[in-house]
Amino acid sequence: MSDTVMHLGSGKVRELYALDDERLLLVASDRISTFDVVLPTEIPDKGRVLTGLSAFWFAQTGALVPNHLLALREDGRSTECRRLEMLPIECVVRGYLAGSGWKDYLATGEVCGHRLPIGLLESQQLPEPIFTPATKAQTGHDENIDRAAGAALVGEGRYDEVERLSLELYRSVSERAAKLGIILADTKLEFGVDAEGRLVLADEAFTPDSSRFWPADEFRPGGPQPSFDKQFVRDYCESLGWDKTYPGPELPADVVDGTRTRYIDAFERLTGTEFGRYLADPGVALG
Ligand SMILES: Nc1ncnc2c1ncn2[C@@H]1O[C@H](COP(=O)(O)OP(=O)(O)OP(=O)(O)O)[C@@H](O)[C@H]1O
Ligand SMILES: [Mg+2]
């Protein structure tokens, strides 16, 4: 990388560089985080899977919502993006009751202010997808918030706009995934605002890090589901009785391999492209 490229910061997974005033370089590492802790062991090629899948979905949904993707680089893990003012909320859409949504429902019968029917099971499909935003915690865990708290952070008009766009994106991608035998249980999106004040979809989109993907043929509501996402690593970490604070546990080789296989499986099933073809020519993800 040339010296003129300025390193802006490191996220848990990505390195951010400024190419100029308008453009960022986002480089996805092979780091994996569970329960907001970056683990000491990397998953080979994970950053390429995230980058390729995001690029694929940006290309697929570009007509629905403008996004930040400008160019995908040869290494398969770096993208040139429009530099945006990010909104301070995570835009989560849930079609099924899992994770913190399930926990909130058990405790209150609601998720982010949406009152839900009584007697729902863990992982059950909701009557309709709901928008369930969260704060972007600088440290610690993101917190689920309701409409009033979200609107206080981004403004009423923006809130309504990101809710509508997030639900549209979820519906579009979950319909495509369903045709491939995959349930998109929930997903997290991030939006930014460009210099003209327009909303732009940013960050990563519909990857195993930002979404729960379940194989439809194994779907059994009433408990957690097998998945193509991080659940395999989460389960391993929880089996150790780890307290979910730094430092996280090292992953043994079989957990690394099993995780890598799940990420690549998700890439291949969702894009219909062999991962080896993506490595040889990342441009194939753009269709
Ligand atoms: N187009 C963009 N313009 C500006 N910032 C962006 C853009 N796309 C993504 N980002 C930001 O880049 C960072 C990506 O890094 P990463 O995903 O590793 O972070 P993270 O672990 O999710 O944690 P955090 O979001 O709290 O930094 C995020 O902070 C995200 O909001
Ligand atoms: Mg992130």
Side-chain angles (χ1 to χ4, degrees):
M1 194 152 307
S2 91
D3 300 336
T4 55
V5 177
M6 193 170 63
H7 187 226
L8 294 179
S10 306
K12 286 188 283 292
V13 170
R14 285 171 191 75
E15 299 298 330
L16 263 77
Y17 301 88
L19 292 171
D20 52 43
D21 289 349
E22 277 98 50
R23 295 179 310 146
L24 285 182
L25 187 69
L26 237 62
V27 184
S29 72
D30 291 336
R31 297 191 289 269
I32 187 164
S33 70
T34 50
F35 309 106
D36 290 325
V37 171
V38 180
L39 302 181
T41 314
E42 296 195 335
I43 309 296
D45 289 325
K46 173 177 172 285
R48 293 192 169 93
V49 169
L50 300 185
T51 302
L53 263 177
S54 292
F56 173 80
W57 290 118
F58 285 140
Q60 296 293 322
T61 63
L64 218 56
V65 182
N67 61 65
H68 74 167
L69 180 65
L70 295 171
L72 178 56
R73 290 200 172 171
E74 282 302 297
D75 64 2
R77 64 168 78 246
S78 307
T79 45
E80 297 173 20
C81 304
R82 296 168 62 189
R83 192 170 179 174
L84 305 166
E85 194 66 53
M86 298 301 288
L87 295 185
I89 58 172
E90 313 229 304
C91 295
V92 179
V93 178
R94 299 171 193 274
Y96 293 74
L97 205 44
S100 68
W102 168 242
K103 289 202 179 87
D104 290 355
Y105 171 75
L106 276 185
T108 66
E110 296 185 7
V111 184
C112 298
H114 299 273
R115 179 142 289 277
L116 297 176
I118 55 169
L120 293 179
L121 302 175
E122 181 172 8
S123 306
Q124 192 166 339
Q125 185 170 17
L126 298 170
E128 57 185 342
I130 53 174
F131 182 61
T132 60
T135 58
K136 273 194 200 179
Q138 291 308 315
T139 54
H141 300 290
D142 299 332
E143 195 187 317
N144 289 343
I145 52 175
D146 62 10
R147 186 176 192 288
L153 286 168
V154 300
E156 296 255 342
R158 280 280 186 238
Y159 186 91
D160 291 342
E161 210 180 343
V162 290
E163 172 169 42
R164 183 176 58 77
L165 294 177
S166 300
L167 287 167
E168 270 178 35
L169 286 163
Y170 173 84
R171 282 184 208 280
S172 167
V173 173
S174 59
E175 275 169 25
R176 277 188 70 111
K179 292 194 183 113
L180 301 167
I182 294 173
I183 293 171
L184 173 62
D186 53 39
T187 197
K188 183 218 61 171
L189 301 166
E190 291 189 34
F191 290 88
V193 178
D194 69 12
E196 284 73 46
R198 284 182 299 243
L199 271 180
V200 178
L201 180 63
D203 202 55
E204 63 178 329
F206 304 104
T207 70
D209 272 17
S210 65
S211 314
R212 286 192 173 83
F213 291 116
W214 298 337
D217 56 359
E218 293 173 58
F219 180 56
R220 303 275 180 282
Q225 304 299 304
S227 72
F228 294 108
D229 53 51
K230 269 193 210 173
Q231 200 57 46
F232 184 65
V233 173
R234 291 195 196 104
D235 290 348
Y236 171 76
C237 292
E238 290 207 291
S239 76
L240 302 174
W242 167 54
D243 64 0
K244 300 175 188 171
T245 63
Y246 277 93
E250 300 264 2
L251 303 176
D254 60 318
V255 175
V256 172
D257 289 349
T259 305
R260 183 171 184 275
T261 302
R262 280 167 176 78
Y263 273 77
I264 290 172
D265 212 22
F267 178 95
E268 294 188 333
R269 287 183 61 162
L270 290 165
T271 64
T273 299
E274 257 178 66
F275 188 58
R277 282 192 55 216
Y278 175 75
L279 294 182
D281 173 19
V284 296
L286 301 172

